[in-house]
Amino acid sequence: MTRAPAVAGKSIRTAADATHSISPMLADGASFRLLCARGKKMIRKVGSYDIEKREQMKGGPGTVTMEHFFHRDEFGGEHVRVCAKMIVPPGAGVGLHPHNGEDEIYIVLRGTGIVEDDGVTQDIGPGDSVLTGHGASHAVTCKGDQNLEILAIVVTY
């Protein structure tokens, strides 16, 4: 396998040999590159993402903004349902909801919040990650005075 030069201390596979690979996020957390199936390279620049506003998302308070990096039909298979940044303003959140037949990964990029994951409530902040699936439920609320930004990926099985 050919390796690209190190990026932020990590090496990545090149488009020529990758089937699925996500490069490390840029230091500002605003952009990343996905090399998807069939060797097709897709690059989205900051400001070009599809924006969706969801009021009372899954029964939660307030309005959550979803910046969709990529949509399900852009992946090489049918197993990635969501690949987006969630922007949760202070006091807003995503209500308690289950993940049957899928896993959801949260990676906190910025801000602070409270997550309930399968009955356990815990504070979360930048660098924290949450994995919910196999029928478990979770919810998240922004508790700080700045937006909570989370990379959210939902993978089905």
Side-chain angles (χ1 to χ4, degrees):
M1 174 187 312
T2 307
R3 294 278 176 186
V7 176
K10 306 276 184 183
S11 61
I12 60 172
R13 293 184 290 172
T14 62
D17 60 34
T19 55
H20 286 85
S21 178
I22 298 178
S23 70
M25 293 176 62
L26 297 178
D28 66 1
S31 179
F32 67 94
R33 180 179 71 183
L34 175 74
L35 305 173
C36 59
R38 299 182 210 98
K40 183 177 179 184
K41 188 165 129 178
M42 296 179 72
I43 299 171
R44 295 260 161 73
K45 301 297 273 180
V46 172
S48 68
Y49 306 127
D50 291 337
I51 307 295
E52 176 185 7
K53 302 264 186 191
R54 293 190 183 177
E55 292 186 30
Q56 298 179 335
M57 187 170 177
K58 306 286 185 184
T63 301
V64 174
T65 300
M66 302 286 290
E67 289 186 1
H68 294 278
F69 297 123
F70 298 97
H71 294 280
R72 181 179 208 151
D73 61 349
E74 295 174 304
F75 286 90
E78 298 180 10
H79 296 290
V80 178
R81 187 170 67 79
V82 174
C83 180
K85 179 168 62 174
M86 292 190 332
I87 302 168
V88 185
V94 179
L96 188 65
H97 62 283
H99 284 279
N100 297 307
E102 63 186 21
D103 291 336
E104 182 164 26
I105 303 158
Y106 282 169
I107 301 171
V108 181
L109 305 173
R110 188 172 290 146
T112 58
I114 299 171
V115 69
E116 178 185 338
D117 186 62
D118 205 23
V120 176
T121 302
Q122 192 163 1
D123 290 343
I124 55 172
D128 292 340
S129 56
V130 179
L131 173 61
T132 305
H134 297 282
S137 296
H138 69 166
V140 65
T141 304
C142 178
K143 75 171 199 171
D145 57 358
Q146 63 176 328
N147 289 344
L148 173 62
E149 296 183 9
I150 298 173
L151 173 62
I153 300 172
V154 178
V155 180
T156 64
Y157 38 82

